[in-house]
Amino acid sequence: MKAKIIDGKALAAAVKQEAAQQVAQLKEKGITPCLAVVLVGEDPASQVYVRGKINDCAQCGIESRSIRLPEDVTQAELLAQVKQLAEDASVHGILVQLPLPAQIDEKTVIDAIPPEKDVDGFSPVNVGRMQIGEPCYLPCTPAGCIRMIESTGMEIAGKHAVVIGRSNIVGKPAAMLLLAKNATVTICHSRTQNLKGLCASADILVAAVGRAGFVTGEMVKPGAVVIDVGINRGADGKLHGDVDFDAAAEKAAWITPVPGGVGPMTRAMLMLNTVEAARRAAGV
Ligand code: NAD
C-alpha cells in the first residue's frame, strides 16, 4: 500500500478537544452550549447516531437534550416540539435526526429550525449563506471532508477536485466548499458520462455515492487525495465505503478509511457548530 491514511478518529479527537477548550472559555462567561437532538421512531441506525452525538457533547462539556418521539408522531406535534426548542433561549443548536417517517415532510421540519440554531447547516438560509461565502453553519460532513484534505498539507487551490454525488447534504455542499477553497470542481452523478475518466484526472476525489466499492483503482489518479464518504453495510454485516480501499490505496497519496474516516469527523464538526451557535447567541 502506497497511500497514507487520513485518520478520522485522531483528527476528530483533536477537533473535539478544540471544541472542549472553547466550551471551557464560554463557561467562564456563564454560557453553557446546549444541543437538542430530536429522534423520531426506533430506527436502529438513527439511535446509534444520536447516542454518539450525545456522547460527543458530554466529552466536549456541551449540554445535550435528547427528545424522543414515537414513530407515529404527527407533523403538527413534531413541529410544535421544534418550535418549543426554537423559542428556548437555553438551547443553541437543534438537530432533527433524519430520516423521518413517511407521514412527516422533512423539508417543512428542517425549515422550522431557525437558521441560527441550524447546526446541521441544512436550512435554505444556511445553504444560501454558504453559497455566497457569508458566515454560516457549514454542513458537518462536507466541512469534515475539507479538514481532512487540509490535514494532508495538500494545497487545495488550483487542484482538480471531483465529487461523486450531488445530494444536498453531502455532494453539492462538498463541491461548493472545494470551490470556495479555489479548487476546479467537477460534480459527477448518476447521469455523468465518462465518469471513470473524470475521476482518474482528480487530484482530490470525494466519493459520496452510497455504493460499496464504486470507486475502483483505475479511477484514482496517482498521488490523489481520496475521501470516502460512503457508509454501506455489506452482507458481511461490516461497514464499507464507496471506494475499493485496497486498490485505491495502491495509487493514492492519501486516503480515508471506512469506518474511522469521515464518520467521526462529521460528528466532531457538529460539536464545533454547536459551540459557535452558543457564542453567536451570546454575542461573544
Ligand atoms: P444520496 O443517495 O442522497 O446521493 C447519492 C448520490 O450519488 C446522488 O447524487 C447520485 O446522483 C449519485 N449516484 C448514484 N448512483 C450513481 C452512479 N452510478 N454514478 C454516479 N453517481 C451516482 O446519498 P448521500 O446522502 O449523499 O450519501 C452518500 C453516501 O454517504 C451514503 O453511503 C451515506 O450513507 C454516506 N454518508 C456518510 C456520512 C458520514 O458522516 N460519513 C454522512 C452522510 C452520508
Side-chain angles (χ1 to χ4, degrees):
M1 183 175 104
K2 292 200 181 105
K4 291 187 191 137
I5 301 287
I6 305 175
D7 184 344
K9 278 191 195 161
L11 279 173
V15 169
K16 283 194 274 187
Q17 205 170 348
E18 194 181 316
Q21 279 164 3
Q22 294 180 21
V23 170
Q25 287 166 4
L26 285 173
K27 282 187 174 170
E28 281 173 15
K29 295 188 167 82
I31 304 155
T32 303
C34 174
L35 175 69
V37 184
V38 181
L39 174 61
V40 179
E42 306 290 331
D43 178 60
S46 292
Q47 289 186 26
V48 171
Y49 291 143
V50 166
R51 219 177 299 136
K53 287 166 189 173
I54 302 287
N55 285 343
D56 291 338
C57 284
Q59 275 179 34
C60 297
I62 294 172
E63 190 188 321
S64 61
R65 289 197 209 160
S66 169
I67 293 111
R68 304 193 63 149
L69 298 170
E71 182 79 29
D72 61 356
V73 69
T74 65
Q75 172 131 330
E77 286 164 340
L78 177 54
L79 285 174
Q81 180 63 70
V82 172
K83 186 166 182 279
Q84 193 186 320
L85 295 169
E87 287 167 357
D88 185 340
S90 66
V91 171
H92 304 108
I94 304 171
L95 186 149
V96 178
Q97 184 65 44
L98 302 178
L100 292 168
Q103 76 275 16
I104 310 278
D105 179 40
E106 252 172 41
K107 181 176 156 38
T108 307
V109 174
I110 289 174
D111 284 355
I113 301 172
E116 63 275 14
K117 295 192 181 188
D118 170 37
V119 285
D120 252 343
F122 290 168
S123 80
V125 171
N126 269 316
V127 173
R129 285 181 182 153
M130 177 186 69
Q131 197 93 349
I132 55 177
E134 280 186 5
C136 62
Y137 301 113
L138 297 179
C140 300
T141 300
C145 292
I146 297 292
R147 282 243 183 173
M148 298 181 100
I149 297 164
E150 288 179 333
S151 77
T152 67
M154 184 209 240
E155 173 78 51
I156 296 177
K159 295 295 190 313
H160 184 208
V162 172
V163 178
I164 321 173
R166 57 173 162 182
S167 72
N168 287 332
I169 58 168
V170 189
K172 275 188 216 162
M176 286 313 303
L177 293 182
L178 285 160
L179 182 62
K181 295 278 178 188
N182 297 313
T184 300
V185 183
T186 303
I187 305 175
C188 293
H189 48 79
S190 48
R191 306 275 183 91
T192 297
Q193 293 178 1
N194 187 27
L195 184 137
K196 287 192 174 183
L198 289 167
C199 291
S201 74
D203 304 303
I204 298 164
L205 184 59
V206 179
V209 191
R211 291 186 184 203
F214 184 86
V215 175
T216 57
E218 61 174 344
M219 290 160 71
V220 176
K221 180 178 172 179
V225 174
V226 178
I227 307 292
D228 190 352
V229 184
I231 302 178
N232 310 290
R233 183 140 333 249
D236 54 4
K238 292 183 182 160
L239 294 183
H240 300 273
D242 287 345
V243 177
D244 177 346
F245 181 89
D246 292 337
E250 284 302 322
K251 294 174 79 180
W254 293 88
I255 189 166
T256 63
V258 176
V262 176
M265 274 302 276
T266 295
R267 283 170 43 186
M269 299 308 283
L270 176 67
M271 299 299 107
L272 277 189
N273 276 356
T274 305
V275 175
E276 183 62 24
R279 184 183 293 120
R280 287 188 200 166
V284 293

